[in-house]
Amino acid sequence: MSSEADIVVDGENADVSTETTAPVTDVDVDIDDSDDDLIEEGEIAGDYLEQLLDVLDFDGDIDLDVEGDRAIVSIDGGDDLTKLVGRKGEVLDALQELTRLAVQQSTGERSRLMLDIAGWRAGRREALSALGAEAAQRVLETGEREELAPMTPFERKIVHDAVAKVVGVSSESEGAEPSRRVVVLKD
């Protein structure tokens, strides 16, 4: 469909023909580009971890996914994978950081990639969500603040998110690393 419009250019009227067209979806392109970058991160991480598993002589299936603004890499299926998790996830955290560095070396960009091994991080997320919800309910009932055990930033965020779902309570972090902890308060 065509129509004419009067446009003023430098104080003079100019006749311009305009056409109605379908809307441009540049936003979709940007989102796809972002997903492509995260998929690339995941593939680089997967290659790095596959080589690591070969060197260590561990079996495992590597799964790549994208959640929000993070690449998620999971290793499952091997018999001895819990050795790569370590005590309280310490080895897993170290492997995640090494994997992020490998991705950064390849792409030149800092990575926020999340690594899970043998479902440990997923299980920890569920346990921490339950802990946060239970603490929030106790504080709601008693009115007394509750301090939880020291946690990593990742763990604290999960607890804060769980507490935020309960109306009438809030949470904040107190202390200095490595003893920083979540405190749940009644509003």
Side-chain angles (χ1 to χ4, degrees):
M1 172 193 316
S2 276
S3 66
E4 290 188 14
D6 288 332
I7 298 181
V8 177
V9 179
D10 293 331
E12 297 182 13
N13 283 343
D15 287 13
V16 176
S17 176
T18 59
E19 291 187 26
T20 304
T21 60
V24 178
T25 57
D26 288 341
V27 175
D28 292 339
V29 174
D30 293 341
I31 291 171
D32 291 342
D33 289 346
S34 175
D35 282 351
D36 288 346
D37 292 345
L38 294 175
I39 291 169
E40 179 186 5
E41 276 189 27
E43 289 174 350
I44 293 166
D47 291 343
Y48 173 78
L49 291 165
E50 188 175 324
Q51 291 174 2
L52 180 69
L53 290 175
D54 286 345
V55 167
L56 297 173
D57 198 28
F58 280 94
D59 290 327
D61 298 320
I62 298 174
D63 183 40
L64 311 175
D65 198 8
V66 173
E67 278 184 25
D69 61 347
R70 284 183 193 240
I72 308 292
V73 180
S74 302
I75 304 174
D76 292 302
D79 294 330
D80 293 337
L81 289 179
T82 55
K83 292 178 183 176
L84 297 179
V85 173
R87 189 179 69 89
K88 296 185 179 181
E90 291 169 340
V91 176
L92 172 58
D93 288 341
L95 288 174
Q96 176 176 278
E97 191 58 32
L98 287 172
T99 305
R100 286 178 174 177
L101 290 171
V103 170
Q104 182 176 351
Q105 183 179 16
S106 179
T107 65
E109 299 290 324
R110 187 178 186 304
S111 173
R112 296 185 62 235
L113 170 128
M114 184 69 69
L115 175 62
D116 193 5
I117 298 176
W120 187 86
R121 207 175 291 277
R124 185 74 175 138
R125 180 183 299 270
E126 287 178 28
L128 289 168
S129 290
L131 174 71
E134 291 164 4
Q137 286 301 320
R138 284 192 300 271
V139 170
L140 193 59
E141 292 169 6
T142 66
E144 295 181 27
R145 74 185 248 135
E146 185 170 332
E147 291 184 12
L148 302 179
M151 298 178 195
T152 66
F154 167 77
E155 294 170 328
R156 288 194 309 270
K157 176 165 181 357
I158 294 167
V159 173
H160 286 303
D161 290 347
V163 171
K165 293 178 182 176
V166 179
V167 176
V169 294
S170 61
S171 62
E172 55 188 44
S173 293
E174 291 182 355
E177 297 294 350
S179 298
R180 195 153 170 83
R181 66 185 68 234
V182 173
V183 178
V184 183
L185 309 158
K186 188 164 185 172
D187 288 338

